[in-house]
């Protein structure tokens, strides 16, 4: 099937459309329903009647946006009316929810008169925390937005105007910096004089481009003062009337620094770009066909030519999804009365700054796997970059507070944490650990320093204040890698050729000489960064280590086991994963180390895993899993978890609820546990699951990750004498940084 047939099937698949309403509170019992509706609902009604601002506390108003359209300028379809525009408005709701966890009601209004549209939206103000106007034709869109901004006390934002303005503004900030041009000196030409063009021109002024530096061209040619005086252009175009001579688009572009296309495809040729000033900035943003093709524009310009379009198949996509979800997120969380110019500028500046940061592996992978680095082909972040939420929303909220538009002031120091929770429990839980790590960064040695991912991880650890990384590898290669990746830091490196390495060889020989290792062999073993890093930790020259990026797990684990070993009174290490779901977190072990654990191993693993749970501020409740419930099956496979559970229950030093053996549903479902086995030591579902074999644990965590959508953090290596973590081959930089944060917290507790 072609794209259109696929899209039709996508939209009509049961249930039709793309949005539904879901409950956010329990509705399982009669009491639940009496709280949700009558008689309990009268309580919040009375509170809101007494104080209308309480609606933000007792209803969904504070996270609900109206996407409003009359369908008069729908995407590239034109005036198709309100009903036909509904799939687009539902799609807008999907983007709000997907990128910023903002809920949406789409409202398609059958109103040809702007006054009627204004009246409808004004009447609905009590329902919403904000209004996103969409696909309303000019000049009515100006009239509607201006009237609603004046009359409503909630944010009103016409995305077709301001979304393009903000995203292209961010691109302009970085593009001008790359080609070393001052915004105040730019000669900017606009092709098109509709809502988007006028809003973008106004926004460029807010960024520092003087109005006299802006030339606007419509279908009648350059918008001049003579045309404005003759009444040939409307009041909005007249705002940008130029005192230059009449002419067409080619005349306007000659010598210009910047071209902004918000008109129709194919109206700019190579010669017109070639006529621009050296190092031109070209933004042909007509969709689906830009005013000039990306490659043609890039080749035609003199010097460094920076090109941005609205298309996803070219670099530098000016995509409004980089703006509206996050702008509304920040505005809603500050309970802003409006989205003012200060908030828009803050959004653009935050986007521009983010484009200069190292790009996460997940984003690189989503866009084909080729390196993405700040420069002419990357001046604005990618739409799928999750960091946009954490940069733009706080910037907007801060600007709302500082400009006086906010009704409340969220704690900006903790605001990012609440935003991360909206994107998943994993981020929320990792933030707990990373905040602990930042309070007292420790020295973490990265054993495989001759790897770009490790160099990038080291940069992030320094930049975010999580750890003091030490890279083991070739110093010159690592420094060259940092330069090539555009990472502005001076990495700390231990090179095999350093004099200190002989001291480490002596120590390794002392530790392993009765295991058949000669002095010469000890020196040779240090060529393996895992041995060198292990000795550094063992001697106290580093506080923790990470490895595994380029080696198989067993191979990477062997050196730290031989050199550092397990903790006192501990015989077994174990691999633990934290699995996160929407409203639940569980820790599973062992998934990486012990193939066939007996009762001794299971007992230790349970204690180790409980300690890891506590590092994430989770009170552990442990279940020893099996295919048997408390002796319902009695064979050789059920004895080990049963005996381990008995030992743990009988040990006064064990201060956590623990029981078993039990089946997984018994461990996880309250009714299955307390309703049937009221004698069990667990009175709440378990959050620490100990599997009877590595095979079972490994299979289970991967099934949960891939079929149930669990977020996975790990494997975290428990039971070692000093903090050691072995990542999985193929883990990305974020995984490495997260495990380094766990290692820092481990080291803090040992220190």
């Amino acid at each position: 099937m072609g794209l259109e047939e696929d899209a039709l099937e996508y939209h009509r698949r049961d249930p039709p459309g793309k949005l539904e309403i879901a409950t956010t509170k329990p509705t399982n019992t009669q009491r639940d329903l009496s709280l949700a509706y009558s008689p309990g609902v009268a309580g919040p009604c009375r509170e809101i009647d007494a104080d209308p601002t309480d609606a933000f506390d007792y209803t969904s108003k504070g996270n609900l946006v109206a996407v409003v359209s009359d369908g008069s300028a729908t995407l590239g379809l034109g005036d198709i009316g309100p009903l036909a525009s509904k799939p687009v408005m539902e799609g807008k709701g999907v983007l709000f929810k997907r990128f910023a966890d903002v809920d949406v009601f789409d409202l398609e209004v059958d109103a040809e008169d702007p006054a009627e549209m204004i009246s409808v939206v004004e009447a609905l103000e009590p329902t919403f925390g904000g209004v996103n106007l969409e696909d309303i034709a000019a000049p009515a869109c100006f009239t509607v937005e201006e009237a609603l901004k004046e009359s409503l006390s909630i944010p009103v934002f016409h995305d077709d105007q301001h979304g393009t303005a903000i995203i292209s503004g961010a691109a302009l900030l970085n593009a001008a910096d790359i080609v070393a041009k001052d915004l105040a000196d730019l000669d900017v030409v606009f092709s098109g004089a509709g809502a988007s063009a006028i809003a973008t021109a106004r926004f460029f002024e807010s960024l520092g481009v003087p109005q006299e530096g802006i030339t606007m061209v419509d279908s009648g040619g350059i918008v001049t003062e003579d045309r404005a005086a003759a009444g040939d252009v409307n009041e909005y175009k007249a705002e940008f009337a130029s005192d230059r001579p009449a002419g067409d688009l080619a005349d306007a572009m000659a010598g210009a620094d910047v071209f902004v296309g918000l008109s129709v495809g194919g109206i700019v040729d190579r010669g017109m770009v070639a006529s621009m000033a050296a190092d031109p900035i070209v933004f042909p943003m007509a969709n689906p066909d830009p005013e000039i093709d990306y490659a043609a524009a890039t080749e035609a310009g003199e010097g460094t030519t920076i090109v941005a379009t609205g298309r996803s198949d070219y670099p530098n996509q000016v995509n409004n999804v980089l703006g509206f979800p996050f702008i509304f997120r920040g505005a809603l969380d500050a309970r802003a009365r409006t989205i003012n110019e200060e908030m828009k500028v803050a959004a653009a500046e935050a986007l521009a700054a983010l484009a200069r940061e190292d790009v996460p592996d997940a984003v690189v992978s989503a866009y084909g796997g080729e390196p993405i680095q700040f420069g002419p082909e990357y001046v604005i972040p990618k739409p799928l970059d999750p960091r946009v939420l954490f940069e733009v929303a706080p910037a907007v909220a801060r600007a709302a507070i500082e400009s006086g538009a906010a009704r409340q002031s969220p704690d900006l120091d903790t605001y990012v944490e609440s935003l991360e929770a909206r994107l998943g429990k994993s981020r929320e839980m990792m933030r707990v650990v990373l905040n602990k790590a930042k309070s007292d960064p420790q020295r973490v040695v990265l054993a495989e320093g001759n790897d770009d991912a490790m160099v990038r991880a080291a940069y992030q650890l320094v930049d975010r204040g999580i750890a003091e990384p030490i890279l083991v590898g070739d110093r010159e290669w690592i420094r060259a890698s940092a330069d090539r990746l555009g990472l502005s830091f001076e990495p700390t490196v231990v090179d095999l050729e350093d004099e200190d390495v002989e001291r480490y060889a002596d120590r390794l020989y002392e530790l392993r000489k009765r295991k058949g290792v000669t002095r010469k062999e000890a020196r040779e073993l240090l060529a393996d960064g895992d041995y060198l890093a292990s000795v550094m930790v063992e001697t106290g020259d580093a506080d923790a280590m990470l490895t595994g990026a380029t080696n198989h797990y067993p191979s990477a684990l062997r050196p730290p086991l031989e050199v550092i070993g397990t903790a006192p009174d501990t015989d077994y290490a174990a691999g633990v994963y934290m699995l996160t779901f929407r409203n639940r977190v569980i820790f599973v072990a062992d998934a990486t180390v012990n193939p066939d654990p007996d009762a001794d191993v299971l007992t230790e693993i349970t204690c180790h895993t409980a300690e890891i749970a506590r590092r994430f501020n989770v009170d552990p409740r442990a279940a020893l899993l099996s295919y048997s419930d408390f002796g319902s099956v009695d064979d050789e496979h059920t004895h080990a978890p049963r005996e381990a559970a008995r030992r743990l229950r009988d040990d006064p030093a064990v201060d956590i609820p623990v029981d078993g053996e039990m089946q997984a549903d018994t461990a996880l479902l309250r009714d299955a546990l307390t309703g049937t086995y009221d004698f069990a030591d667990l009175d709440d579902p378990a959050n620490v699951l100990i599997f009877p074999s590595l095979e079972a644990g490994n299979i289970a965590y991967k099934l949960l990750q891939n079929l149930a959508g669990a977020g996975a953090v790990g494997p975290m290596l428990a039971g070692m004498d000093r903090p050691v973590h072995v990542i999985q081959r193929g883990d990305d930089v974020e995984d490495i940084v997260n495990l380094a944060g766990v290692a820092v917290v481990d080291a803090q507790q040992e220190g």
Side-chain angles (χ1 to χ4, degrees):
M1 289 193 294
L3 180 61
E4 183 162 349
E5 290 80 6
D6 286 344
L8 291 173
E9 173 59 25
Y10 175 90
H11 283 79
R12 69 171 165 243
R13 188 185 312 147
D14 193 46
K18 300 185 287 286
L19 299 174
E20 67 177 4
I21 295 176
T23 59
T24 60
K25 301 294 190 298
T27 56
N28 300 318
T29 67
Q30 177 59 36
R31 178 166 175 76
D32 290 339
L33 295 177
S34 70
L35 294 172
Y37 196 54
S38 181
V41 74
C45 289
R46 282 191 288 266
E47 294 295 315
I48 295 169
D49 183 44
D51 183 355
T53 63
D54 281 349
F56 290 101
D57 298 318
Y58 292 116
T59 76
S60 63
K61 177 183 175 72
N63 195 51
L64 187 61
V65 166
V67 172
V68 181
S69 181
D70 62 0
S72 59
T74 306
L75 289 177
L77 302 173
D79 187 357
I80 60 174
L83 183 59
S85 75
K86 186 172 177 63
V88 176
M89 303 313 132
E90 284 189 354
K92 199 80 171 187
V94 169
L95 298 178
F96 265 110
K97 188 66 176 178
R98 160 66 175 79
F99 289 101
D101 194 29
V102 173
D103 294 320
V104 160
F105 286 162
D106 58 289
L107 302 176
E108 294 74 36
V109 181
D110 188 2
E112 294 185 6
D113 183 353
E116 188 178 358
M117 168 76 81
I118 293 165
S119 178
V120 168
V121 178
E122 286 177 337
L124 291 170
E125 179 183 7
T127 304
F128 299 102
V131 175
N132 182 95
L133 300 173
E134 192 75 18
D135 293 350
I136 301 171
C141 62
F142 296 112
T143 304
V144 171
E145 185 190 35
E146 289 169 2
L148 291 175
K149 289 183 72 171
E150 181 68 26
S151 64
L152 301 187
S153 61
I154 56 176
V156 177
F157 186 81
H158 184 207
D159 187 45
D160 300 306
Q161 293 183 56
H162 309 299
T164 300
I166 291 165
I167 314 310
S168 63
L172 180 69
L173 290 172
N174 280 337
D177 185 63
I178 290 170
V179 298
K181 292 186 178 182
D182 193 312
L183 268 64
D185 299 327
L186 292 180
D187 180 354
V188 182
V189 173
F190 280 82
S191 174
S196 292
I198 290 168
T200 302
R202 288 173 174 172
F203 188 68
F204 282 14
E205 282 190 83
S206 297
L207 294 178
V209 177
Q211 189 177 81
E212 57 268 23
I214 296 173
T215 300
M216 196 162 283
V217 183
D218 65 6
S219 58
I222 296 173
V223 177
T224 63
E225 291 179 349
D226 289 343
R227 288 182 63 194
D232 186 38
V233 296
N234 63 38
E235 60 182 297
Y236 302 103
K237 295 181 185 181
E239 181 181 338
F240 292 96
S242 171
D243 62 358
R244 65 187 298 167
D248 58 15
L249 182 60
D251 296 322
M253 289 180 64
D257 298 293
V258 182
F259 167 79
V260 180
L262 291 162
S263 52
V264 295
I267 63 171
V268 174
D269 59 33
R270 289 171 179 258
M272 294 161 74
V273 174
S275 74
M276 296 177 68
D279 304 320
I281 298 168
V282 183
F283 293 170
M285 295 182 288
N287 254 332
D289 298 315
E291 285 81 358
I292 182 172
D293 180 72
Y294 179 91
T298 304
E299 294 165 2
E302 178 187 342
T304 300
T305 304
I306 298 176
V307 182
T309 73
R311 292 181 52 144
S312 61
D313 52 347
Y314 297 137
N316 298 325
Q317 183 191 14
V318 178
N319 189 327
N320 286 15
V321 79
L322 283 167
F324 66 86
F326 316 108
I327 293 167
F328 269 99
R329 179 77 274 155
L332 291 172
D333 293 336
R335 294 185 187 173
R337 298 176 180 84
T338 185
I339 295 174
N340 57 30
E341 205 66 14
E342 292 91 339
M343 295 159 73
K344 297 172 196 172
V345 170
E349 290 176 344
L351 284 170
L354 181 58
R356 297 166 181 263
E357 300 295 326
D358 186 44
V359 181
D361 288 344
V363 177
V364 174
S365 177
Y367 288 91
E370 293 297 318
I372 300 174
Q373 208 170 318
F374 179 67
E377 294 189 348
Y378 180 65
V379 295
I380 40 178
K382 298 293 187 181
L384 292 178
D385 192 331
R387 300 173 303 165
V388 177
L389 174 62
F390 312 135
E391 299 298 330
V392 175
V396 170
R398 180 180 291 105
I401 295 166
E402 293 175 352
S403 65
R407 289 188 182 90
Q408 70 173 12
S409 300
D411 183 351
L412 296 176
D413 291 333
T414 61
Y415 182 40
V416 171
E417 296 177 29
S418 68
L419 294 174
E420 288 189 325
R422 291 183 177 277
L423 290 193
K425 200 71 174 175
S426 291
R427 288 183 173 275
E428 180 183 4
M429 299 303 295
M430 276 311 308
R431 177 57 56 182
V432 171
V433 168
L434 294 178
N435 281 345
K436 289 181 180 179
K438 290 177 181 179
S439 69
D440 183 19
Q442 304 284 300
R443 299 164 298 171
V444 179
V445 59
L446 307 179
E448 297 151 304
N450 287 3
D451 181 85
D452 281 350
M454 286 295 192
V455 177
R456 291 173 56 211
Y459 168 76
Q460 290 198 22
L461 291 169
V462 171
D463 187 58
R464 295 163 63 181
I466 295 169
E468 299 172 9
I470 304 167
L471 292 157
V472 172
D474 184 302
R475 181 173 285 102
E476 294 306 314
W477 187 95
I478 290 169
R479 287 175 175 170
S481 173
D483 290 342
R484 173 169 46 83
L485 295 168
L487 307 177
S488 56
F489 83 123
E490 185 64 34
T492 301
V493 180
V494 172
D495 193 303
L496 189 63
E497 302 304 318
D498 293 344
E499 291 183 8
D500 270 359
V501 170
E502 294 306 318
R503 176 168 61 88
Y504 296 135
D506 291 339
R507 180 57 181 164
L508 181 58
Y509 171 63
E510 286 298 316
L511 292 169
R512 301 295 294 169
K513 64 185 179 183
R514 291 191 178 274
K515 300 294 184 181
V517 175
T518 67
R519 174 61 175 75
K520 178 182 178 183
E521 288 170 336
R523 182 63 176 81
E524 291 170 349
L525 282 173
L526 292 185
D528 180 341
D530 290 335
Y531 277 102
L532 181 50
S534 298
V535 179
M536 290 178 65
V537 173
E538 196 275 338
T539 58
D541 288 346
D543 302 302
M545 72 172 279
L546 255 65
T547 185
T550 59
N551 289 322
H552 290 291
Y553 196 92
S555 299
L557 179 57
R558 186 178 302 111
L561 279 174
E562 290 179 356
V563 175
I564 298 171
T566 56
D569 302 322
T570 299
D571 296 315
Y572 310 101
V576 180
Y577 276 92
M578 180 177 72
L579 300 179
T580 59
F581 304 86
R582 183 172 179 84
N583 294 308
R584 175 176 284 187
V585 177
I586 62 173
F587 296 82
V588 300
D590 178 10
T592 59
V593 180
N594 300 283
D596 190 20
D598 59 17
D600 293 337
V601 179
L602 292 174
T603 301
E604 280 198 12
I605 288 174
T606 304
C607 295
H608 297 329
T609 309
E611 285 304 311
I612 286 179
R614 285 191 169 118
R615 287 169 203 163
F616 288 86
N617 290 353
V618 172
D619 292 327
R621 300 183 299 274
L624 282 293
L625 298 183
S626 177
Y627 52 79
S628 167
D629 275 324
F630 304 105
S632 62
V633 177
D634 188 16
D635 62 24
E636 60 178 326
H637 300 293
T638 63
H639 291 169
R642 187 183 309 155
E643 173 61 16
R646 184 196 64 77
R647 294 181 189 178
L648 290 161
R649 289 197 310 273
D650 293 346
D651 187 344
V654 176
D655 61 349
I656 64 169
V658 57
D659 218 328
E661 85 286 12
M662 66 179 72
Q663 296 184 23
D665 55 345
T666 304
L668 294 172
L669 301 176
R670 184 188 303 274
D671 290 345
L673 179 64
T674 60
T676 306
Y677 305 104
D678 58 1
F679 57 82
D681 279 17
L682 292 175
D683 55 8
D684 277 313
N687 52 27
V688 170
L689 304 181
I690 308 302
F691 286 88
S693 69
L694 185 150
E695 182 179 38
N698 193 273
I699 291 170
Y701 100 77
K702 289 183 177 178
L703 283 173
L704 290 169
Q705 185 179 12
N706 290 286
L707 294 182
V713 175
M716 294 171 275
L717 190 60
M720 296 294 289
D721 190 32
R722 301 293 298 277
V724 175
H725 292 296
V726 181
I727 63 177
Q728 298 278 26
R729 292 179 74 185
D731 279 355
D732 63 21
V733 172
E734 183 179 8
D735 296 321
I736 298 170
V737 170
N738 284 342
L739 275 183
V742 173
V744 169
V745 175
D746 291 345
Q748 289 172 347
Q749 294 186 341
E750 292 192 1

